[in-house]
Amino acid sequence: MRIGELAARAGTTTRTLRYYESRGLLPARRGDNGYRTYDEEDLKLLRQIRTLQDFGFELEETRPFVECLRAGHPEGDSCPASLVVYRHKLAELDTLIEQLTSVRGQVAAQLARAEAAVPGGPEPKCELGGRG
């Protein structure tokens, strides 16, 4: 298939495909007519990249998964290098969750303090609304 068809089937743009090609994630094959040509395996590579990016992986973090597929494995995460990236991403997510949990606790404490400072007081006026 040509680049436009691959882009449409993968739900992306031809510009993105050219970028992936420049980064070495997508093969750069050309037919006799000079046009880029792709096959179902390339579509599988793209779907792997897109799924990982939807999960928050950086483009470069998808490389081990792409290389695993290119090596002939049925799934991009069945190689040791892919598992290393998964472990790293989980550790990164755990750190973010801890940070967000801490910030949430601080905001909840600030809210409780602010509410306690105005027991039974009047509702604050909204300065942004309803100037007629």
Side-chain angles (χ1 to χ4, degrees):
M1 73 188 94
R2 292 191 22 204
I3 194 167
E5 181 183 351
L6 179 63
R9 289 184 63 192
T12 191
T13 64
T14 57
R15 182 177 181 193
T16 297
L17 298 184
R18 287 186 194 100
Y19 179 70
Y20 290 170
E21 183 180 299
S22 75
R23 302 289 305 195
L25 293 168
L26 193 62
R29 291 186 304 269
R30 301 227 179 223
D32 294 336
N33 57 8
Y35 292 121
R36 289 174 171 86
T37 60
Y38 302 96
D39 58 24
E40 293 298 320
E41 290 302 310
D42 298 322
L43 181 60
K44 188 174 183 177
L45 290 176
L46 281 174
R47 287 184 174 149
Q48 178 76 77
I49 292 169
R50 298 287 308 240
T51 298
L52 291 168
Q53 287 194 301
D54 287 347
F55 290 160
F57 287 71
E58 298 294 327
L59 184 60
E60 194 55 36
E61 290 175 314
T62 69
R63 187 173 300 280
F65 299 86
V66 168
E67 290 172 355
C68 189
L69 286 170
R70 282 189 182 157
H73 295 272
E75 300 297 327
D77 59 4
S78 60
C79 294
S82 302
L83 299 178
V84 168
V85 173
Y86 272 154
R87 287 185 194 104
H88 174 76
K89 183 55 75 175
L90 281 175
E92 186 180 296
L93 290 169
D94 287 341
T95 299
L96 288 172
I97 290 168
E98 288 173 18
Q99 290 171 347
L100 287 172
T101 300
S102 174
V103 169
R104 186 191 186 288
Q106 292 172 28
V107 170
Q110 288 292 92
L111 173 61
R113 184 199 53 76
E115 288 176 334
V118 201
E123 283 288 318
K125 293 181 182 176
C126 179
E127 299 294 327
L128 297 177
R131 291 184 188 171

